[in-house]
Amino acid sequence: MKVLVTDPIADAGLDVLRDAGHEVETGYELEGADLLEAVADANALIVRSGTEVTREVLEAADDLVIVGRAGIGVDNIDIDAATDEGVIVANAPEGNVRAAAEHTVAMTFAAARSIPQAHVRLKGGEWAKSDYLGAELNGKTLGIVGLGRVGQEVAKKLDSLGMDLVAFDPYISQERADRLGAQLVELEDCLERADFLTIHTPLTPETEGMISDDELEMLEGGYLVNVGRGGIVDEEALARKVEDGTLEGAALDVFAEEPLPEGSPLLGVDDVIVTPHLGASTEAAQENVATSTAEQVVAALEGEPVMNALNAPSVDESAFPRIEPYIGLAETAGKVAAQLLEGRIEGVEVTYEGDIADEDVELVTASALKGVFEPLEWQVNAVNAPQIAEDRGVEVTESKTHQAADFQSLVSVTVSDGDEDISVDGTLFAGDDPRIVRVDGFRVDAIPHGRMVITRNTDEPGVIGLIGSVMGDYDVNIAGMFNARETIGGEALTVYNVDSEVPDAAREELESDERIIGVRYITLNGQA
């Protein structure tokens, strides 16, 4: 079969393809009409960041089975269009883990000992030995924000150098952290205790600008290192805090805008070290990425599972119509449950009752996990969600029963932090109309869509009126309301569908009333 490679990859990857018997065609300058012509008879396409894989490109390739991205980022690939065309999109997220971790360690040493600054001055003829009094890593505390693959590798390397480890990651289990020798803490505690802070969390709406003036003040006297994603650290605030002495120094390999603009405030601060996104720039990393991508292409062309597919469900074709409506339902239940649980997720249980228990529900369970992890993990989907759970030490259980008390089929997603758990149950009305029918044991009939507010309060007169009044004061329109209670005068739970974002101030005002036990704002369907 023909594999078209339009961006340079390591020869090791090309060898994997040829050894499998495939024809490899390279076209590193292809674009426009030439790209459309070249891809027309291709069975697989391998790209890096240089080729834009648009809907037009995908529609021109009738025989295309897979697009392999030799790297992690897929911003240049129209995944929705690929899905529409039945084309698998796969990336190589693990090939550069070691390289990124090693660069993090290198940048940590560079910041601690002012290596680049001293180098430049000595090259310029200055013997500035007395100007640089460095910090040793041994005995210092390393704060890690994001304990995923790279964060875990950094933890192992710096733990071996005698550092104490604290980490902030709401989606890693305590057991996995214990294995790494890291203490899980909240973000504020992580910042206040850290002598060195490294960042390895994906860039999401929740993490964008997460480290700014207030957070940097908590890191007073420390160093910040970011080889993860640009945009998580407020670069102007960081430049100020290093320049005014709040921080001892910083080292960054990634930036909100790349290439880094000439006018960036980071460039004017001597104790801020910058490198041009070199985290994955090692020969070994490039070979790993190339071979990983090639192996996935070979698997797809041979009809085998693709480990890092971003959009490819795996289920028997004849069974798919029966489980398809439950895929979105399970994902939604997972999203709601995860956003309701305030603690760190240690376990996820997915339970099937009634007719759905007769089906192969592996894909449905994976979709529930996708919903649970989506607020955190970049590019999570039903294919890679189980691996994310394994990487983070989250225990996943699946159970079935053919008995369903009130419904023909019921899907329940329960998330637990080890002490507390939250369950969200869903079903389908009229075959394909999803409903949330139970939240933490409270019976409701809620439409899972858009923006939702879930309140818990004492069951007494005037509380629902108060909630409606406060929502109105903040110009939040209530589109629907579904109420349940334990007993008369006991605890009540209400689900509100709302038309706009609920400001923090509105939630704070509600929670200041002693009758309100808690208010949670839930977003679904890509809403903010």
Side-chain angles (χ1 to χ4, degrees):
M1 293 188 178
K2 175 181 170 180
V3 181
L4 177 63
V5 184
T6 58
D7 294 313
I9 66 171
D11 289 341
L14 302 179
D15 291 341
V16 169
L17 297 166
R18 294 189 178 108
D19 290 345
H22 299 297
E23 173 194 352
V24 178
E25 179 180 315
T26 59
Y28 301 149
E29 305 296 329
L30 290 173
E31 58 183 22
D34 292 336
L35 175 59
L36 298 180
E37 181 180 352
V39 80
D41 62 344
N43 304 105
L45 173 64
I46 293 180
V47 303
R48 294 184 69 186
S49 59
T51 301
E52 291 291 328
V53 185
T54 63
R55 182 175 291 276
E56 185 181 15
V57 170
L58 292 158
E59 290 177 346
D62 292 338
D63 299 322
L64 199 63
V65 175
I66 181 171
V67 176
R69 166 63 163 98
I72 188 169
V74 289
D75 294 344
N76 56 315
I77 302 172
D78 189 332
I79 296 179
D80 290 338
T83 302
D84 291 343
E85 296 298 317
V87 177
I88 299 169
V89 177
N91 63 354
E94 297 184 3
N96 59 8
V97 167
R98 183 173 290 106
E102 289 185 359
H103 195 60
T104 300
V105 173
M107 294 285 267
T108 302
F109 274 116
R113 301 304 296 269
S114 302
I115 294 171
Q117 299 93 321
H119 167 82
V120 169
R121 292 182 65 179
L122 185 56
K123 283 279 191 175
E126 294 184 69
W127 187 263
K129 180 178 179 179
S130 61
D131 289 351
Y132 297 106
L133 184 64
E136 294 185 11
L137 302 189
N138 180 55
K140 299 297 194 302
T141 297
L142 174 69
I144 304 173
V145 177
L147 206 53
R149 296 184 188 97
V150 178
Q152 291 182 28
E153 191 70 19
V154 169
K156 293 173 187 175
K157 294 182 184 303
L158 292 179
D159 178 56
S160 68
L161 295 176
M163 299 194 78
D164 297 322
L165 308 181
V166 295
F168 167 69
D169 190 327
Y171 285 77
I172 200 81
S173 71
Q174 184 64 59
E175 180 184 358
R176 179 57 55 89
D178 289 342
R179 237 181 280 167
L180 294 165
Q183 181 183 356
L184 287 178
V185 297
E186 295 302 318
L187 178 61
E188 293 78 6
D189 197 15
C190 185
L191 290 161
E192 289 173 351
R193 292 172 60 180
D195 299 301
F196 292 83
L197 186 81
T198 66
I199 298 170
H200 310 285
T201 188
L203 179 64
T204 67
E206 290 76 22
T207 62
E208 185 173 7
M210 181 172 67
I211 307 295
S212 191
D213 286 274
D214 291 345
E215 290 75 21
L216 294 170
E217 285 285 346
M218 298 178 194
L219 189 62
E220 183 178 4
Y223 298 81
L224 182 142
V225 178
N226 187 12
V227 185
R229 290 281 169 186
I232 294 170
V233 178
D234 182 334
E235 293 169 7
E236 291 188 4
L238 178 63
R240 286 195 306 271
K241 296 303 181 183
V242 175
E243 191 165 31
D244 69 17
T246 300
L247 300 187
E248 291 293 324
L252 293 91
D253 184 52
V254 290
F255 310 94
E257 181 182 346
E258 297 183 1
L260 188 62
E262 290 183 9
S264 169
L266 297 171
L267 297 175
V269 183
D270 187 51
D271 288 325
V272 174
I273 299 166
V274 291
T275 54
H277 207 145
L278 301 179
S281 295
T282 69
E283 183 177 345
Q286 294 307 306
E287 283 200 6
N288 290 341
V289 164
T291 56
S292 173
T293 304
E295 287 166 356
Q296 293 187 86
V297 167
V298 171
L301 295 180
E302 294 179 356
E304 297 177 355
V306 178
M307 294 304 296
N308 292 315
L310 298 174
N311 65 337
S314 177
V315 66
D316 183 82
E317 185 176 355
S318 64
F320 187 68
R322 295 194 298 274
I323 70 165
E324 185 178 14
Y326 293 94
I327 293 172
L329 177 66
E331 180 181 335
T332 297
K335 285 181 182 177
V336 174
Q339 293 180 72
L340 285 174
L341 185 73
E342 296 184 1
R344 181 176 293 105
I345 293 176
E346 301 272 354
V348 179
E349 180 178 6
V350 186
T351 303
Y352 300 92
E353 300 179 15
D355 291 351
I356 186 63
D358 292 326
E359 304 292 343
D360 177 358
V361 292
E362 183 179 2
L363 177 58
V364 184
T365 297
S367 298
L369 294 176
K370 175 181 184 291
V372 169
F373 293 124
E374 194 166 47
L376 170 85
E377 191 77 16
W378 183 72
Q379 289 293 350
V380 63
N381 63 20
V383 177
N384 60 20
Q387 184 62 47
I388 290 171
E390 182 178 340
D391 290 343
R392 296 180 173 277
V394 176
E395 183 179 359
V396 178
T397 57
E398 178 186 295
S399 60
K400 294 182 176 182
T401 175
H402 296 286
Q403 304 298 320
D406 301 308
F407 305 97
Q408 186 170 346
S409 290
L410 191 73
V411 177
S412 175
V413 179
T414 303
V415 294
S416 170
D417 64 2
D419 295 319
E420 179 187 4
D421 56 61
I422 295 286
S423 294
V424 175
D425 301 356
T427 192
L428 299 171
F429 288 177
D432 61 358
D433 187 13
R435 288 287 195 277
I436 298 298
V437 294
R438 198 176 293 125
V439 176
D440 203 23
F442 289 88
R443 183 70 179 266
V444 295
D445 179 12
I447 300 171
H449 181 78
R451 301 175 177 90
M452 302 166 65
V453 176
I454 298 180
T455 65
R456 300 179 80 141
N457 54 269
T458 56
D459 179 40
E460 56 184 288
V463 178
I464 290 178
L466 167 71
I467 294 170
S469 177
V470 171
M471 294 290 191
D473 290 342
Y474 287 89
D475 202 28
V476 176
N477 187 55
I478 297 174
M481 184 185 79
F482 311 91
N483 180 253
R485 65 184 180 185
E486 292 175 329
T487 58
I488 296 175
E491 185 176 324
L493 180 144
T494 308
V495 179
Y496 299 89
N497 289 108
V498 296
D499 291 335
S500 58
E501 183 176 359
V502 179
D504 289 342
R507 285 174 264 171
E508 291 169 2
E509 183 173 338
L510 287 172
E511 289 178 338
S512 68
D513 190 292
E514 62 182 11
R515 296 170 295 177
I516 304 294
I517 299 168
V519 179
R520 301 293 287 177
Y521 174 57
I522 307 292
T523 59
L524 302 170
N525 314 110
Q527 298 291 335

